[in-house]
Amino acid sequence: MSPNNFATDFDGFSGEMPEADIQIITSGGRRILAHSTVLAAASSVLESILVRPQKRRSSEKTIRILGVPCDAVSVFVQFLSSFKCSEEQMEKHGIHLLALSHVYLVPQLKQICTKGLAEQLTIKNAVDVLQLARLCDAPDLYLKCLKFISTNFKKVEKTEGWKFLQDHDSLLELEILQFMDEADSRKKRARRHRREQNLYLQLSEAMDCIEHICTEGCTSVGPCHEEPCTKKLPCSKFKTCQGVQLLIRHFATCKRRVNGGCLRCKRMWQLLRLHSSICDKLDECRVPLCRQFKVKVQQKEDDALWESLVRKVVSARTIYSLSLPKRKREEEPKMNLDYHRARSLSTTRCQ
């Protein structure tokens, strides 16, 4: 019979509960009356104690629950009968109830204690709850304590609990410090990953802008042998598009690019090469040097680093596209910036 079913059976019982047939003795000598059937149904450990033959001088049945306050034992016995525990009781006796639930194998109470203690973590009790969570095999509570201590470490290390831990449990102290170091490393990796993804996304936008400029034209640069359309509003990627247009204008007039001495021109070459690696339009593409780069790639294999860059840019483009709402994907690129800002730019041709 499960504890929940047992409690339900008593709720629907038409008569009165039978008289208590067992006494629970606490550390202060207090005696708490209980029903052996209820205890046995709620805890397999208590059940084994009840059926175990014992040598007694009297006919009274007793169970000793020592080492915790009397009131905590009273709340524990009450829970075994009703499977309810108030917030006030959890706040006062949560630590002792977790220990009792672990020792006497009461998973329902252990789950409630784990959740309740996690919500009651403070600077002062964090280390104590962490140690208890480890002793009582409560991994969820243990992890939350580690995260709490890691976040508030400067304050926690000033508490008596941390000083006691340093003196008596150096292994746990080392485990906490290792967790903090790993958490810091994870944050750094996450920040680096976000920066890389932003870079790949910017390169993907630059590829779209190059194709857009050389095919349709934009505010200051038009397709080859065509004037830009000055009546056209800026594209939705105006900031990136403006940068690409300035780069194209510089690339068209720079004198140092012949000898390879201009960094801006090298960047433009890299963008054109990257576009060629991604472009799948073959003979229809109007971006300068696209076909030439493709022929060069066929003659000579790209290095692994460049191939990795191409894959990551394509991946960033795909992820960004899938993250957009369907309507926005259909409307991209959409003209949505101020027209007067576009008219202020000078016009030139895409060389």
Side-chain angles (χ1 to χ4, degrees):
M1 178 186 300
S2 69
N4 289 332
N5 292 338
F6 184 83
T8 303
D9 291 342
F10 268 112
D11 288 341
F13 187 65
S14 58
E16 297 181 356
M17 288 281 288
E19 292 185 2
D21 58 350
I22 192 169
Q23 294 183 10
I24 296 177
I25 302 177
T26 67
S27 297
R30 182 177 172 183
R31 292 175 177 263
I32 302 173
L33 299 178
H35 299 84
S36 58
T37 308
V38 174
L39 300 181
S43 168
S44 58
V45 175
L46 291 174
E47 181 182 17
S48 64
I49 294 175
L50 289 169
V51 299
R52 184 189 307 161
Q54 298 181 5
K55 295 181 180 180
R56 295 187 180 89
R57 297 180 181 179
S58 65
S59 59
E60 292 182 351
K61 294 182 179 180
T62 59
I63 295 178
R64 294 181 179 274
I65 299 181
L66 309 176
V68 293
C70 302
D71 290 341
V73 178
S74 179
V75 173
F76 175 67
V77 174
Q78 178 183 345
F79 180 86
L80 298 181
S81 303
S82 63
F83 293 94
K84 295 179 181 179
C85 184
S86 66
E87 293 183 2
E88 183 180 357
Q89 291 173 334
M90 181 57 58
E91 185 176 353
K92 289 182 179 180
H93 310 294
I95 290 179
H96 301 105
L97 291 176
L98 176 59
L100 290 170
S101 68
H102 175 71
V103 171
Y104 293 100
L105 298 181
V106 186
Q108 297 91 340
L109 179 58
K110 189 172 185 178
Q111 184 177 4
I112 294 174
C113 292
T114 298
K115 182 178 179 181
L117 289 174
E119 295 174 351
Q120 297 172 12
L121 285 176
T122 63
I123 301 297
K124 292 184 178 180
N125 71 6
V127 175
D128 296 333
V129 176
L130 175 69
Q131 292 176 301
L132 180 63
R134 185 177 64 166
L135 292 173
C136 295
D137 189 24
D140 292 342
L141 179 60
Y142 186 77
L143 181 59
K144 289 181 179 180
C145 289
L146 283 176
K147 291 181 178 179
F148 183 88
I149 293 174
S150 177
T151 305
N152 305 276
F153 182 70
K154 290 185 178 181
K155 295 180 180 179
V156 172
E157 68 176 345
K158 297 178 182 179
T159 62
E160 293 297 326
W162 179 257
K163 295 176 182 178
F164 179 86
L165 184 69
Q166 288 181 308
D167 296 335
H168 298 88
D169 198 342
S170 58
L171 185 61
L172 182 57
E173 178 191 5
L174 178 61
E175 188 171 346
I176 294 172
L177 296 177
Q178 287 177 340
F179 177 86
M180 292 172 56
D181 184 63
E182 292 173 359
D184 186 58
S185 298
R186 285 193 297 269
K187 290 180 180 179
K188 290 181 179 178
R189 288 195 299 269
R191 286 195 294 266
R192 183 170 62 251
H193 178 73
R194 285 194 295 269
R195 287 196 299 267
E196 291 175 352
Q197 290 301 311
N198 289 334
L199 173 61
Y200 300 142
L201 183 58
Q202 290 174 8
L203 288 173
S204 175
E205 289 184 353
M207 297 303 98
D208 292 337
C209 291
I210 287 177
E211 186 174 353
H212 158 63
I213 292 168
C214 295
T215 303
E216 305 169 359
C218 201
T219 55
S220 65
V221 178
C224 294
H225 311 297
E226 296 181 19
E227 292 290 342
C229 180
T230 56
K231 296 182 179 180
K232 195 174 188 180
L233 290 175
C235 63
S236 59
K237 300 173 183 176
F238 178 77
K239 186 176 181 180
T240 303
C241 193
Q242 184 185 34
V244 173
Q245 291 179 70
L246 294 174
L247 199 59
I248 291 174
R249 295 172 61 185
H250 169 83
F251 185 76
T253 57
C254 182
K255 303 299 182 183
R256 291 188 298 165
R257 66 184 173 92
V258 178
N259 299 323
C262 180
L263 293 178
R264 296 179 67 184
C265 290
K266 286 182 179 179
R267 189 177 298 115
M268 188 66 211
W269 277 108
Q270 292 172 344
L271 289 177
L272 292 173
R273 181 186 176 190
L274 182 59
H275 163 81
S276 177
S277 300
I278 296 174
C279 180
D280 58 356
K281 294 185 179 181
L282 300 177
D283 297 334
E284 300 178 3
C285 183
R286 300 185 64 180
V287 176
L289 304 178
C290 181
R291 182 174 179 79
Q292 288 85 336
F293 274 119
K294 286 186 179 296
V295 173
K296 187 176 180 180
V297 169
Q298 292 175 357
Q299 295 174 351
K300 182 180 179 180
E301 294 184 0
D302 282 344
D303 58 272
L305 185 61
W306 182 263
E307 291 179 355
S308 175
L309 174 63
V310 172
R311 287 196 301 270
K312 290 176 179 178
V313 171
V314 172
S315 176
R317 170 180 288 193
T318 303
I319 293 173
Y320 175 74
S321 177
L322 293 176
S323 66
L324 293 175
K326 183 177 180 181
R327 180 181 298 178
K328 193 170 183 179
R329 290 201 300 267
E330 293 173 351
E331 293 177 355
E332 283 275 327
K334 183 178 180 181
M335 309 306 178
N336 58 1
L337 293 179
D338 185 43
Y339 168 72
H340 298 287
R341 187 178 180 184
R343 292 297 300 271
S344 64
L345 299 173
S346 61
T347 60
T348 186
R349 291 185 180 181
C350 177
Q351 301 294 324

